Amino acid sequence: MQRSSTARSNICGQILQSRKQVQTNNNPRPCDVFINHRGIDTKRSVAGLLYNHLRRDLRLRPFLDSKNMKPGDKLFDKIEGAIGQCKIGIAVFSPQYCDSHFCLHELALMMETKKKVIPVFCDVKPSELRVKDYGNCPAKDVDRFQMALEEAKYTVGLAFDTLAGDWSEFLARASDAVIKNLVEVEQERLISRKQKSVPQFHCRTYIKNLNN
């Protein structure tokens, strides 16, 4: 428990520090967690509570369309920009999730941009999730949706029953999952930065040194 608290404190501190640097440079501020959800099912329950908890209690910067968008925003530009800049994603699957090709488009974008995605199966089992093709969606998009959905279904996630589940326990588990994934992303970023800073070793230089 103490290790989890320490990791949570460290990652939140790093995020807040990077946020200050972004504000100093007057650049758009990226979100930490993109919440992909079906509004009709979960906006006023799981998705909304997750957003408030991550923002208020963990001081992170989550993205939820109804909270982060304002009249006049270009829908696709705003959503796709948030997905491209976010560190991780949460996909809240619900009974009517697959009825929305827009939800599936967001999921596909997260998978295609190699984001870490935490699946939350809310009142639905993974086996019940199927892409529904009503004939009004291009075949290539249907394929994208199916691939993304299959990847999400075989990713370890959280299950929650909104009628019988313990909400406080769910939020605690979701918080731990978010923090652990943010820590992993931050560690991978630091490793990548160190690797890029190491001078590249060229074969010609090696041969030249041998001949001298």
Side-chain angles (χ1 to χ4, degrees), residues 43-210:
K43 191 182 298 293
R44 297 181 182 275
S45 56
V46 173
L49 285 174
L50 274 174
Y51 174 88
N52 290 332
H53 180 65
L54 295 175
R55 185 173 184 272
R56 182 182 59 228
D57 299 330
L58 298 187
R59 299 175 65 195
L60 296 176
R61 188 178 296 281
F63 184 98
L64 187 67
D65 53 7
S66 61
K67 301 288 187 180
N68 295 78
M69 298 183 67
K70 63 183 185 302
D73 283 341
K74 300 294 184 181
L75 184 61
F76 282 96
D77 291 346
K78 190 77 172 183
I79 294 291
E80 293 178 5
I83 291 175
Q85 294 180 348
C86 75
K87 296 179 176 66
I88 66 172
I90 296 177
V92 183
F93 296 106
S94 55
Q96 300 184 73
Y97 180 95
C98 290
D99 291 341
S100 170
H101 284 174
F102 197 80
C103 288
L104 291 165
H105 173 65
E106 292 178 356
L107 179 66
L109 278 179
M110 289 193 290
M111 296 303 187
E112 290 163 357
T113 52
K114 306 300 182 183
K115 302 295 182 181
K116 284 184 176 293
V117 177
I118 303 169
V120 176
F121 301 101
C122 179
D123 298 330
V124 68
K125 297 178 181 179
S127 59
E128 297 173 333
L129 296 171
R130 296 182 180 85
V131 175
K132 299 177 181 179
D133 183 8
Y134 299 107
N136 59 349
C137 187
K140 63 178 182 179
D141 284 338
V142 173
D143 290 340
R144 290 176 60 236
F145 300 161
Q146 289 177 338
M147 290 179 61
L149 191 59
E150 287 302 308
E151 185 173 350
K153 287 163 64 174
Y154 288 97
T155 300
V156 177
L158 304 173
F160 185 63
D161 184 331
T162 57
L163 295 179
D166 185 322
W167 285 91
S168 60
E169 179 185 354
F170 165 72
L171 288 176
R173 292 172 60 208
S175 297
D176 287 343
V178 166
I179 293 301
K180 288 177 181 177
N181 279 275
L182 284 174
V183 169
E184 289 181 6
V185 169
E186 182 65 19
Q187 290 174 339
E188 291 171 0
R189 185 184 68 83
L190 292 175
I191 292 173
S192 177
R193 177 185 293 180
K194 289 180 180 179
Q195 290 175 341
K196 290 180 180 179
S197 65
V198 175
Q200 296 295 316
F201 189 80
H202 297 288
C203 183
R204 290 182 180 178
T205 303
Y206 177 68
I207 295 174
K208 182 178 180 180
N209 290 337
L210 284 178

